[in-house]
Amino acid sequence: MIQLTNIAYSIGGSELLKDISLTVSPGEMVAVIGANGAGKSTLMRILSGLIRPSRGSLSLDGKDLFSYSAEEMARRRAVLDQQSVLTFGFSALEVVMMGRTPHMTGARKNLEISLEAMKTTGTDHLAGRSYPTLSGGEQQRVHLARALAQIWEPVEGGERYLFLDEPTSYLDLAHQHMALSIASRCTQAGLGVLAVLHDLNLAANHANRVAVLKKGRLTAVGTPEETLTPEVLRDAFGIETVVSRHPATQGPLIVALHQPNSTQNNHL
Ligand code: ADP
Ligand code: MG
Protein backbone atom coordinates (compact mmCIF):
# COMPACT_ATOMS: atom_id res chain seq x y z
CA MET A 1 0.00 0.00 0.00
CA ILE A 2 1.10 3.56 -0.69
CA GLN A 3 0.24 5.82 2.20
CA LEU A 4 0.44 9.58 2.46
CA THR A 5 0.13 10.96 5.97
CA ASN A 6 -0.46 14.64 6.73
CA ILE A 7 1.58 15.87 3.82
CA ALA A 8 1.99 19.43 2.65
CA TYR A 9 3.80 20.73 -0.41
CA SER A 10 5.07 24.27 -0.85
CA ILE A 11 6.96 25.85 -3.68
CA GLY A 12 7.95 29.46 -4.27
CA GLY A 13 6.16 30.59 -1.11
CA SER A 14 2.78 29.07 -1.96
CA GLU A 15 1.38 25.96 -0.34
CA LEU A 16 -0.03 23.83 -3.18
CA LEU A 17 -1.11 20.94 -0.93
CA LYS A 18 -2.26 21.16 2.67
CA ASP A 19 -2.54 18.39 5.25
CA ILE A 20 -3.37 15.52 2.92
CA SER A 21 -3.69 11.90 4.00
CA LEU A 22 -4.58 9.31 1.37
CA THR A 23 -3.88 5.67 0.56
CA VAL A 24 -3.73 3.67 -2.66
CA SER A 25 -4.07 -0.06 -2.09
CA PRO A 26 -3.29 -2.96 -4.41
CA GLY A 27 -6.41 -3.94 -6.36
CA GLU A 28 -8.20 -0.61 -6.12
CA MET A 29 -8.62 2.38 -8.40
CA VAL A 30 -8.65 5.80 -6.80
CA ALA A 31 -9.86 8.70 -8.96
CA VAL A 32 -8.72 12.22 -8.13
CA ILE A 33 -11.06 14.98 -9.24
CA GLY A 34 -11.04 18.75 -8.78
CA ALA A 35 -10.96 22.09 -10.57
CA ASN A 36 -8.03 23.30 -12.68
CA GLY A 37 -5.17 24.22 -10.37
CA ALA A 38 -6.60 22.33 -7.37
CA GLY A 39 -3.33 20.41 -6.99
CA LYS A 40 -4.24 17.09 -8.63
CA SER A 41 -1.04 16.70 -10.67
CA THR A 42 1.08 17.77 -7.72
CA LEU A 43 -0.65 15.19 -5.51
CA MET A 44 -0.12 12.46 -8.11
CA ARG A 45 3.54 13.37 -8.48
CA ILE A 46 4.00 13.14 -4.71
CA LEU A 47 2.16 9.81 -4.38
CA SER A 48 4.25 8.33 -7.17
CA GLY A 49 7.47 9.53 -5.55
CA LEU A 50 8.44 11.94 -8.34
CA ILE A 51 8.58 14.90 -5.94
CA ARG A 52 9.08 15.03 -2.20
CA PRO A 53 6.48 16.53 0.09
CA SER A 54 7.62 19.51 2.20
CA ARG A 55 6.02 17.95 5.29
CA GLY A 56 4.45 14.67 6.31
CA SER A 57 5.31 11.11 5.35
CA LEU A 58 4.98 8.89 2.32
CA SER A 59 5.35 5.14 2.67
CA LEU A 60 5.30 2.11 0.41
CA ASP A 61 4.49 -1.19 2.15
CA GLY A 62 5.11 0.47 5.51
CA LYS A 63 8.61 1.76 4.62
CA ASP A 64 9.59 5.31 3.71
CA LEU A 65 9.01 5.46 -0.05
CA PHE A 66 12.23 7.39 -0.55
CA SER A 67 14.24 4.56 1.00
CA TYR A 68 13.63 2.48 -2.15
CA SER A 69 16.14 2.81 -4.97
CA ALA A 70 15.11 4.61 -8.15
CA GLU A 71 15.45 1.28 -10.01
CA GLU A 72 13.16 -0.55 -7.61
CA MET A 73 10.57 2.24 -7.76
CA ALA A 74 10.71 2.12 -11.57
CA ARG A 75 9.87 -1.60 -11.48
CA ARG A 76 7.08 -1.08 -8.96
CA ARG A 77 5.24 1.90 -10.43
CA ALA A 78 4.69 3.61 -13.76
CA VAL A 79 3.51 7.17 -14.31
CA LEU A 80 1.61 8.65 -17.23
CA ASP A 81 2.27 12.35 -16.76
CA GLN A 82 -0.05 15.11 -17.97
CA GLN A 83 2.65 16.61 -20.18
CA SER A 84 5.15 14.47 -21.95
CA VAL A 85 8.51 16.13 -22.48
CA LEU A 86 9.49 13.93 -25.36
CA THR A 87 9.41 15.75 -28.71
CA PHE A 88 11.38 14.27 -31.57
CA GLY A 89 13.74 11.61 -32.79
CA PHE A 90 11.90 8.48 -31.63
CA SER A 91 9.55 6.00 -33.20
CA ALA A 92 6.39 5.04 -31.31
CA LEU A 93 7.91 1.63 -30.54
CA GLU A 94 11.09 3.23 -29.17
CA VAL A 95 8.96 5.36 -26.83
CA VAL A 96 7.21 2.24 -25.52
CA MET A 97 10.54 0.39 -25.21
CA MET A 98 11.69 3.15 -22.81
CA GLY A 99 9.28 1.60 -20.33
CA ARG A 100 11.47 -1.49 -20.32
CA THR A 101 14.64 0.39 -19.26
CA PRO A 102 14.35 -0.65 -15.56
CA HIS A 103 14.14 -4.36 -16.47
CA MET A 104 17.02 -6.69 -17.24
CA THR A 105 14.91 -8.99 -19.36
CA GLY A 106 16.87 -8.82 -22.62
CA ALA A 107 16.15 -7.19 -25.97
CA ARG A 108 13.89 -9.92 -27.34
CA LYS A 109 11.62 -10.10 -24.28
CA ASN A 110 11.50 -6.29 -24.04
CA LEU A 111 10.40 -6.06 -27.67
CA GLU A 112 7.77 -8.77 -27.16
CA ILE A 113 6.31 -7.03 -24.09
CA SER A 114 6.40 -3.59 -25.76
CA LEU A 115 4.48 -4.88 -28.77
CA GLU A 116 1.93 -6.58 -26.50
CA ALA A 117 1.47 -3.33 -24.57
CA MET A 118 0.96 -1.50 -27.87
CA LYS A 119 -1.67 -4.06 -28.89
CA THR A 120 -3.43 -3.48 -25.58
CA THR A 121 -3.73 0.27 -26.27
CA GLY A 122 -4.51 -0.21 -29.98
CA THR A 123 -1.25 1.34 -31.13
CA ASP A 124 0.65 -1.66 -32.53
CA HIS A 125 -0.03 -0.48 -36.12
CA LEU A 126 1.81 2.76 -35.24
CA ALA A 127 4.99 1.03 -34.01
CA GLY A 128 7.20 2.22 -36.87
CA ARG A 129 5.78 5.73 -37.07
CA SER A 130 7.78 8.76 -35.99
CA TYR A 131 6.34 9.72 -32.58
CA PRO A 132 5.94 13.49 -33.24
CA THR A 133 3.84 12.81 -36.34
CA LEU A 134 1.18 11.00 -34.30
CA SER A 135 -2.08 12.71 -33.33
CA GLY A 136 -2.54 13.81 -29.71
CA GLY A 137 -4.74 10.81 -28.96
CA GLU A 138 -2.31 8.40 -30.61
CA GLN A 139 0.59 9.88 -28.63
CA GLN A 140 -1.40 9.51 -25.42
CA ARG A 141 -2.11 5.84 -26.13
CA VAL A 142 1.56 5.23 -26.99
CA HIS A 143 2.51 6.71 -23.61
CA LEU A 144 -0.08 4.54 -21.91
CA ALA A 145 1.56 1.54 -23.62
CA ARG A 146 4.96 2.74 -22.33
CA ALA A 147 3.59 2.87 -18.78
CA LEU A 148 2.04 -0.60 -19.13
CA ALA A 149 5.26 -2.05 -20.55
CA GLN A 150 7.06 -0.72 -17.48
CA ILE A 151 4.88 -2.63 -15.02
CA TRP A 152 3.97 -5.53 -17.31
CA GLU A 153 5.18 -8.39 -15.13
CA PRO A 154 4.87 -9.05 -11.38
CA VAL A 155 7.89 -7.98 -9.35
CA GLU A 156 9.32 -9.84 -6.40
CA GLY A 157 8.73 -8.36 -3.01
CA GLY A 158 5.76 -6.09 -3.68
CA GLU A 159 2.75 -4.99 -5.64
CA ARG A 160 2.74 -2.67 -8.66
CA TYR A 161 1.12 0.73 -9.05
CA LEU A 162 -0.04 2.76 -12.04
CA PHE A 163 -0.46 6.55 -11.90
CA LEU A 164 -2.41 8.25 -14.68
CA ASP A 165 -2.75 12.04 -14.96
CA GLU A 166 -5.73 12.87 -17.18
CA PRO A 167 -5.15 9.76 -19.32
CA THR A 168 -8.20 10.45 -21.49
CA SER A 169 -7.71 14.17 -22.20
CA TYR A 170 -6.97 13.60 -25.93
CA LEU A 171 -9.01 10.45 -26.44
CA ASP A 172 -12.25 9.90 -28.35
CA LEU A 173 -15.20 8.29 -26.60
CA ALA A 174 -14.26 4.70 -27.47
CA HIS A 175 -10.63 5.17 -26.48
CA GLN A 176 -11.63 6.87 -23.20
CA HIS A 177 -13.46 3.70 -22.29
CA MET A 178 -10.57 1.58 -23.54
CA ALA A 179 -8.12 3.46 -21.31
CA LEU A 180 -10.30 3.09 -18.21
CA SER A 181 -11.02 -0.58 -18.99
CA ILE A 182 -7.27 -1.20 -19.15
CA ALA A 183 -6.91 0.55 -15.78
CA SER A 184 -9.72 -1.62 -14.36
CA ARG A 185 -8.03 -4.76 -15.67
CA CYS A 186 -4.86 -3.63 -13.93
CA THR A 187 -6.72 -3.47 -10.61
CA GLN A 188 -8.11 -6.96 -11.24
CA ALA A 189 -4.52 -8.11 -11.74
CA GLY A 190 -3.77 -6.71 -8.27
CA LEU A 191 -2.25 -3.35 -9.17
CA GLY A 192 -3.09 -0.17 -7.28
CA VAL A 193 -4.22 2.52 -9.72
CA LEU A 194 -4.62 6.25 -9.20
CA ALA A 195 -6.10 8.31 -12.03
CA VAL A 196 -6.69 12.06 -12.23
CA LEU A 197 -9.92 12.40 -14.18
CA HIS A 198 -12.08 15.29 -15.37
CA ASP A 199 -14.92 13.10 -16.59
CA LEU A 200 -16.96 12.49 -13.45
CA ASN A 201 -18.92 9.69 -15.12
CA LEU A 202 -15.73 7.81 -15.98
CA ALA A 203 -14.73 8.22 -12.34
CA ALA A 204 -18.17 7.01 -11.20
CA ASN A 205 -18.01 3.96 -13.46
CA HIS A 206 -14.47 2.81 -12.83
CA ALA A 207 -13.15 4.07 -9.50
CA ASN A 208 -13.53 2.22 -6.21
CA ARG A 209 -12.88 5.45 -4.37
CA VAL A 210 -12.88 9.10 -5.37
CA ALA A 211 -10.72 11.81 -3.76
CA VAL A 212 -11.97 15.37 -4.24
CA LEU A 213 -9.38 18.13 -4.15
CA LYS A 214 -10.11 21.82 -3.72
CA LYS A 215 -7.39 24.47 -3.42
CA GLY A 216 -4.86 21.94 -2.19
CA ARG A 217 -7.13 20.27 0.37
CA LEU A 218 -9.06 17.02 0.23
CA THR A 219 -12.72 17.83 0.76
CA ALA A 220 -14.10 14.31 0.34
CA VAL A 221 -12.75 10.77 0.01
CA GLY A 222 -15.02 7.75 -0.40
CA THR A 223 -17.02 5.62 -2.78
CA PRO A 224 -18.44 7.31 -5.91
CA GLU A 225 -21.87 7.27 -4.22
CA GLU A 226 -20.49 9.08 -1.18
CA THR A 227 -18.43 11.66 -3.02
CA LEU A 228 -20.16 12.41 -6.33
CA THR A 229 -23.05 14.33 -4.78
CA PRO A 230 -24.44 17.73 -5.83
CA GLU A 231 -23.16 19.23 -2.55
CA VAL A 232 -19.59 18.00 -2.93
CA LEU A 233 -19.50 18.91 -6.64
CA ARG A 234 -20.95 22.40 -6.01
CA ASP A 235 -18.24 23.03 -3.43
CA ALA A 236 -15.43 21.65 -5.65
CA PHE A 237 -16.44 23.08 -9.01
CA GLY A 238 -18.96 25.86 -8.22
CA ILE A 239 -21.52 24.30 -10.52
CA GLU A 240 -24.94 22.75 -10.04
CA THR A 241 -25.36 19.12 -11.02
CA VAL A 242 -28.10 16.53 -11.13
CA VAL A 243 -27.00 13.11 -9.91
CA SER A 244 -29.20 10.19 -10.90
CA ARG A 245 -28.71 6.42 -11.31
CA HIS A 246 -26.80 5.04 -14.24
CA PRO A 247 -29.29 2.72 -15.99
CA ALA A 248 -26.70 -0.01 -16.60
CA THR A 249 -24.32 0.16 -13.63
CA GLN A 250 -26.71 1.63 -11.01
CA GLY A 251 -23.85 3.91 -9.95
CA PRO A 252 -24.11 7.71 -9.95
CA LEU A 253 -24.77 9.45 -13.29
CA ILE A 254 -23.78 13.12 -13.22
CA VAL A 255 -25.15 15.86 -15.44
CA ALA A 256 -23.95 19.46 -15.09
CA LEU A 257 -26.65 22.09 -15.29
CA HIS A 258 -26.29 25.09 -17.56
CA GLN A 259 -26.43 28.31 -15.55
CA PRO A 260 -27.46 31.14 -17.90
CA ASN A 261 -26.86 33.93 -15.33
CA SER A 262 -23.22 33.09 -14.80
CA THR A 263 -22.13 34.99 -17.96
CA GLN A 264 -24.50 37.97 -17.54
CA ASN A 265 -21.90 40.72 -18.02
CA ASN A 266 -20.03 39.00 -20.74
CA HIS A 267 -20.37 40.62 -24.17
CA LEU A 268 -19.94 37.26 -25.85
P1 ADP B 1 -4.11 20.54 -11.27
O1 ADP B 1 -3.38 19.35 -11.79
O2 ADP B 1 -5.13 20.21 -10.24
O3 ADP B 1 -4.71 21.38 -12.35
P2 ADP B 1 -1.46 21.32 -10.34
O4 ADP B 1 -1.15 20.32 -9.30
O5 ADP B 1 -0.77 21.18 -11.66
O6 ADP B 1 -3.04 21.46 -10.53
O7 ADP B 1 -1.08 22.77 -9.77
C1 ADP B 1 -1.69 23.29 -8.61
C2 ADP B 1 -1.40 24.77 -8.51
O8 ADP B 1 -0.04 24.97 -8.25
C3 ADP B 1 -1.68 25.56 -9.78
O9 ADP B 1 -2.24 26.80 -9.43
C4 ADP B 1 -0.34 25.73 -10.43
O10 ADP B 1 -0.29 26.89 -11.20
C5 ADP B 1 0.56 25.81 -9.21
N1 ADP B 1 1.90 25.26 -9.46
C6 ADP B 1 2.21 24.06 -9.93
N2 ADP B 1 3.54 23.88 -10.00
C7 ADP B 1 4.09 25.04 -9.56
C8 ADP B 1 5.42 25.51 -9.40
N3 ADP B 1 6.47 24.74 -9.71
N4 ADP B 1 5.60 26.77 -8.92
C9 ADP B 1 4.55 27.55 -8.60
N5 ADP B 1 3.26 27.16 -8.73
C10 ADP B 1 3.04 25.93 -9.21
MG1 MG C 1 -3.03 18.63 -13.64
Side-chain angles (χ1 to χ4, degrees):
M1 177 165 81
I2 294 183
Q3 184 163 29
L4 270 187
T5 312
N6 302 122
I7 69 100
Y9 181 74
S10 304
I11 191 161
S14 51
E15 200 168 46
L16 307 190
L17 295 174
K18 300 162 186 114
D19 195 25
I20 292 194
S21 298
L22 185 67
T23 57
V24 182
S25 297
E28 78 163 344
M29 189 189 314
V30 178
V32 177
I33 65 167
N36 292 151
K40 304 179 296 297
S41 295
T42 309
L43 176 61
M44 192 200 79
R45 294 174 66 78
I46 287 181
L47 269 164
S48 55
L50 295 180
I51 54 175
R52 275 176 188 266
S54 316
R55 262 189 318 196
S57 66
L58 172 57
S59 69
L60 169 62
D61 296 342
K63 253 174 63 182
D64 180 8
L65 185 138
F66 293 101
S67 68
Y68 293 87
S69 70
E71 293 72 26
E72 178 155 22
M73 284 308 294
R75 287 190 290 271
R76 297 280 305 269
R77 64 95 174 88
V79 182
L80 180 65
D81 240 322
Q82 198 170 5
Q83 284 119 1
S84 113
V85 287
L86 202 67
T87 50
F88 61 88
F90 296 103
S91 72
L93 176 60
E94 283 168 335
V95 171
V96 178
M97 294 278 288
M98 287 174 194
R100 298 301 302 166
T101 315
H103 302 277
M104 303 296 168
T105 36
R108 179 185 295 209
K109 186 84 184 156
N110 288 345
L111 177 64
E112 199 180 291
I113 289 174
S114 299
L115 288 172
E116 276 301 308
M118 292 186 91
K119 260 189 212 153
T120 306
T121 68
T123 53
D124 47 320
H125 64 293
L126 304 171
R129 285 274 303 278
S130 160
Y131 174 81
T133 69
L134 301 179
S135 77
E138 289 168 342
Q139 290 186 349
Q140 200 164 33
R141 285 185 287 131
V142 165
H143 270 290
L144 180 58
R146 177 189 51 75
L148 293 176
Q150 190 180 331
I151 46 161
W152 194 258
E153 68 268 73
V155 280
E156 258 177 54
E159 303 295 343
R160 293 163 289 162
Y161 296 86
L162 178 61
F163 292 91
L164 306 169
D165 196 351
E166 297 191 28
T168 60
S169 54
Y170 289 99
L171 301 185
D172 64 49
L173 189 61
H175 284 118
Q176 290 175 24
H177 283 269
M178 183 202 74
L180 269 295
S181 300
I182 292 170
S184 291
R185 289 213 301 278
C186 286
T187 64
Q188 284 154 23
L191 277 77
V193 178
L194 179 130
V196 176
L197 295 172
H198 276 305
D199 186 324
L200 304 179
N201 287 304
L202 283 179
N205 277 335
H206 293 275
N208 303 101
R209 289 191 300 137
V210 178
V212 185
L213 205 52
K214 181 190 175 188
K215 293 182 183 162
R217 286 186 194 278
L218 281 179
T219 57
V221 182
T223 64
E225 285 77 10
E226 287 162 352
T227 52
L228 300 173
T229 66
E231 294 72 30
V232 170
L233 298 175
R234 182 185 304 124
D235 179 54
F237 297 101
I239 192 162
E240 293 302 319
T241 54
V242 171
V243 180
S244 56
R245 295 256 135 237
H246 191 291
T249 65
Q250 306 305 318
L253 177 68
I254 301 104
V255 179
L257 291 180
H258 179 58
Q259 288 154 303
N261 289 337
S262 61
T263 55
Q264 217 168 25
N265 296 320
N266 190 328
H267 294 296
L268 296 177

